[in-house]
Amino acid sequence: MAKALKILEFFFFISISFVPFLPELGVVDIIAVQFLYLAGFQSVVFVYLSIQQHASVSFVNGLKNPLLLSFFLFIIISGLSILTAFNPTESLVEICRYFVIFITLFNFFTLIKRNPEFKNYVLFIFLALLTIESLYIFKIFLSVYSFESPPGRLREFQGFTYNQNVAAFSLLMKIPFIIYLAIQSNKMILRAFIYFIVSISFFDLLIIGSRGSLIAVSAVLFFLVFALFIKNQFFNSLQLKRVLFTVFGLFISMVSLQQFLYQNNSDLKSLNRVTNYNDSSVSYRAESYKEAIEGILDYPLLGVGIGNWKIKSLDYAHQRLTEYQVPYHVHNDFLHIGAEIGVLGLIVYLLIFILPLVFLIKKLVEKDKNSLLYFFIILSIMVYIADAMVNFPRARPNNQINFLYVFALAAVFMNDLDGIRRFTFKAIHVLFFVLLIPTIVVSYKVFDSYKIQKLLIFDFNEEPENY
């Protein structure tokens, strides 16, 4: 029986890795399917964990964790921002999505606590996902490449993510863990396979041409060089030095290869992409940042309401918009959150990222036995932050897969807070049970709405005379 339950819990643990491969099911945006899947499946996982022995203790420990507690407080403040929302329905949808991510994070935290070996499984889950994602994009490249006319930033290079920037950062956030796996492994075949996948992933990043991800991968490589100078027994192994030097060599080789293959397309040469900032993408983001800051200054207390920036942004951006455009996202999650729920909400949201970084860096300085793993978790968190600075990973379930695995792992290593009364969290546990059902209902209604919207958009774009 115990073995069967462990297999079931392992299945629960890998369940979100199926998200990128879910069918579209006729919706205008795949996130409706993905959030509905997460809401339904993670509700089952939460109920399962709640009826297990010591589940109430696990729940209390979960909310005593600084990272999970910060996320919970963020959801509370987001709920209060409904008071200022122009469209409370949009707020309700957005809060349900954050609640789904929070419940999933709690589930993963509890599963790892119950099964400590799951910490190592994250490495192989990321290796499997990176293999599928990178080879799929590379296969598309091989099918469209021409030396005389190299492809530009093709939409097809988005892979399974429906967005090139999402695809690039999805690859990059996994790479630090794969490098760590290569360092830990004594099997030459596994290391050789990892080097092959990392090489393909580097090449994919270069052909996707996401400027933010190229800068981020440069930063990751810089910190890997820095790791060679850290005076710690876990950073001075010959295996680590060999792996890191190999990774550097692979990256330089892929840059040289991409530069050669794109001789006839200078705009997408990797070095040109990193150094050229005179384009509409940069200016669009700069204007969006400026408007979000104005929104924070105008509504510092509770913001414009969670999920309402897509509406309120028109008041700030209407003069620069052409045709039918809606600036849904600020392309900076932190400014976006600040505009929607105010300064206090932004501070709490920042704690979700700052607290694990501070804890892991502190342990790294103290030369903890897990220092090497902490270092690579830090790198992945920094990649996510870089993504959040120029894109909107909070809104895309594909990005949240990486977030959930990495931050659940970080939460497990963090110390719990003391002095918090247990009965309070038992009451919150009951509240979460109550909220799960309406969360599923809302997710389904959004899914149904997105199916109808796709029909309307298709009619409007393809058959306007018969609209």
Side-chain angles (χ1 to χ4, degrees):
M1 184 64 178
K3 185 176 180 181
L5 288 178
K6 180 158 288 190
I7 294 174
L8 178 62
E9 291 180 6
F10 173 73
F11 177 70
F12 289 157
F13 193 65
I14 66 172
S15 61
I16 65 167
S17 64
F18 306 145
V19 165
F21 317 112
L22 294 175
E24 189 178 280
L25 299 181
V27 295
V28 69
D29 191 334
I30 190 66
I31 66 172
V33 176
Q34 294 168 337
F35 274 116
L36 177 59
Y37 167 77
L38 288 174
F41 202 97
Q42 294 304 316
S43 294
V44 173
V45 177
F46 183 80
V47 171
Y48 165 83
L49 292 172
S50 298
I51 62 178
Q52 290 300 305
Q53 188 177 10
H54 307 307
S56 60
V57 176
S58 297
F59 184 81
V60 173
N61 289 338
L63 282 185
K64 288 172 65 177
N65 185 274
L67 195 160
L68 292 173
L69 183 58
S70 298
F71 204 139
F72 180 59
L73 292 175
F74 163 69
I75 292 177
I76 292 176
I77 296 174
S78 298
L80 293 175
S81 74
I82 295 180
L83 298 173
T84 62
F86 174 80
N87 189 327
T89 302
E90 286 290 349
S91 294
L92 180 62
V93 171
E94 196 76 358
I95 289 174
C96 285
R97 289 174 175 173
Y98 286 125
F99 184 65
V100 167
I101 298 302
F102 170 76
I103 287 295
T104 307
L105 184 61
F106 164 75
N107 288 342
F108 276 31
F109 171 82
T110 307
L111 285 169
I112 296 175
K113 281 284 192 178
R114 289 170 59 83
N115 305 276
E117 66 272 20
F118 282 8
K119 292 195 293 289
N120 295 324
Y121 292 167
V122 173
L123 304 176
F124 292 96
I125 291 171
F126 273 8
L127 177 59
L129 289 174
L130 186 65
T131 300
I132 296 170
E133 293 174 23
S134 61
L135 291 179
Y136 181 73
I137 295 172
F138 187 66
K139 176 179 176 292
I140 295 172
F141 168 79
L142 293 177
S143 67
V144 301
Y145 178 76
S146 166
F147 187 80
E148 291 76 17
S149 180
R153 293 197 68 202
L154 293 184
R155 186 173 180 84
E156 287 80 1
F157 291 162
Q158 64 196 0
F160 298 100
T161 66
Y162 293 79
N163 182 283
Q164 294 101 317
N165 291 324
V166 174
F169 276 98
S170 179
L171 295 174
L172 182 54
M173 195 169 177
K174 298 180 182 74
I175 288 176
F177 281 87
I178 307 309
I179 295 174
Y180 174 77
L181 179 59
I183 295 170
Q184 294 297 103
S185 175
N186 293 319
K187 299 179 179 179
M188 291 187 63
I189 294 178
L190 177 59
R191 287 206 306 273
F193 179 74
I194 289 173
Y195 293 148
F196 171 71
I197 295 302
V198 169
S199 299
I200 298 296
S201 299
F202 282 152
F203 187 79
D204 288 345
L205 290 174
L206 297 171
I207 63 171
I208 290 171
S210 168
R211 188 181 290 109
S213 68
L214 293 178
I215 295 172
V217 73
S218 301
V220 168
L221 292 171
F222 169 81
F223 282 107
L224 290 179
V225 172
F226 175 74
L228 297 174
F229 297 93
I230 296 178
K231 300 300 181 182
N232 186 300
Q233 59 177 324
F234 302 103
F235 288 87
N236 290 328
S237 70
L238 182 60
Q239 177 83 327
L240 180 143
K241 296 180 186 298
R242 286 176 176 173
V243 170
L244 294 190
F245 279 121
T246 302
V247 169
F248 298 142
L250 293 175
F251 181 73
I252 298 301
S253 299
M254 292 303 104
V255 170
S256 301
L257 177 62
Q258 199 264 352
Q259 290 284 113
F260 171 75
L261 294 175
Y262 278 74
Q263 289 183 55
N264 295 321
N265 187 343
S266 60
D267 290 340
L268 207 63
K269 283 185 178 180
S270 53
L271 297 179
N272 292 352
R273 284 291 297 171
V274 173
T275 57
N276 179 21
Y277 295 94
N278 296 319
D279 58 33
S280 59
S281 174
V282 174
S283 59
Y284 180 87
R285 281 171 167 77
E287 290 295 327
S288 296
Y289 299 166
K290 178 182 175 182
E291 291 154 6
I293 292 172
E294 292 176 2
I296 294 173
L297 295 176
D298 290 341
Y299 301 91
L301 188 58
L302 290 176
V304 301
I306 192 73
N308 272 238
W309 181 252
K310 67 180 73 170
I311 303 167
K312 196 65 179 177
S313 62
L314 294 172
D315 290 345
Y316 298 91
H318 67 276
Q319 292 183 344
R320 67 179 175 88
L321 299 179
T322 59
E323 299 177 343
Y324 184 72
Q325 293 183 342
V326 178
Y328 269 39
H329 305 285
V330 176
H331 287 269
N332 182 308
D333 276 355
F334 304 110
L335 292 178
H336 190 110
I337 292 296
E340 287 195 336
I341 65 175
V343 175
L344 178 60
L346 172 60
I347 293 172
V348 174
Y349 186 70
L350 287 171
L351 288 177
I352 297 173
F353 304 92
I354 293 173
L355 291 178
L357 280 178
V358 170
F359 173 82
L360 294 171
I361 292 173
K362 179 182 177 182
K363 289 294 184 181
L364 193 61
V365 172
E366 294 174 353
K367 301 180 180 180
D368 187 273
K369 64 179 182 179
N370 293 309
S371 289
L372 191 59
L373 178 57
Y374 294 157
F375 176 75
F376 285 95
I377 294 176
I378 290 170
L379 289 184
S380 282
I381 292 176
M382 290 174 63
V383 169
Y384 185 91
I385 292 174
D387 190 11
M389 292 290 288
V390 295
N391 296 305
F392 39 93
R394 70 177 214 295
R396 312 304 301 187
N398 277 297
N399 294 94
Q400 294 307 302
I401 294 172
N402 302 318
F403 171 88
L404 288 164
Y405 280 123
V406 173
F407 280 76
L409 202 57
V412 168
F413 287 119
M414 295 175 69
N415 298 323
D416 293 339
L417 299 172
D418 296 323
I420 300 179
R421 299 177 69 86
R422 180 172 172 176
F423 76 87
T424 303
F425 292 118
K426 284 189 174 181
I428 297 174
H429 195 190
V430 174
L431 175 63
F432 283 1
F433 267 118
V434 174
L435 292 177
L436 282 172
I437 294 178
T439 296
I440 297 174
V441 172
V442 169
S443 298
Y444 176 78
K445 291 181 74 68
V446 171
F447 163 75
D448 194 48
S449 170
Y450 276 30
K451 290 174 64 177
I452 298 171
Q453 288 181 50
K454 183 166 186 176
L455 294 174
L456 291 173
I457 291 174
F458 178 83
D459 281 353
F460 183 80
N461 290 331
E462 303 297 329
E463 300 181 10
E465 71 284 350
N466 194 32
Y467 181 68

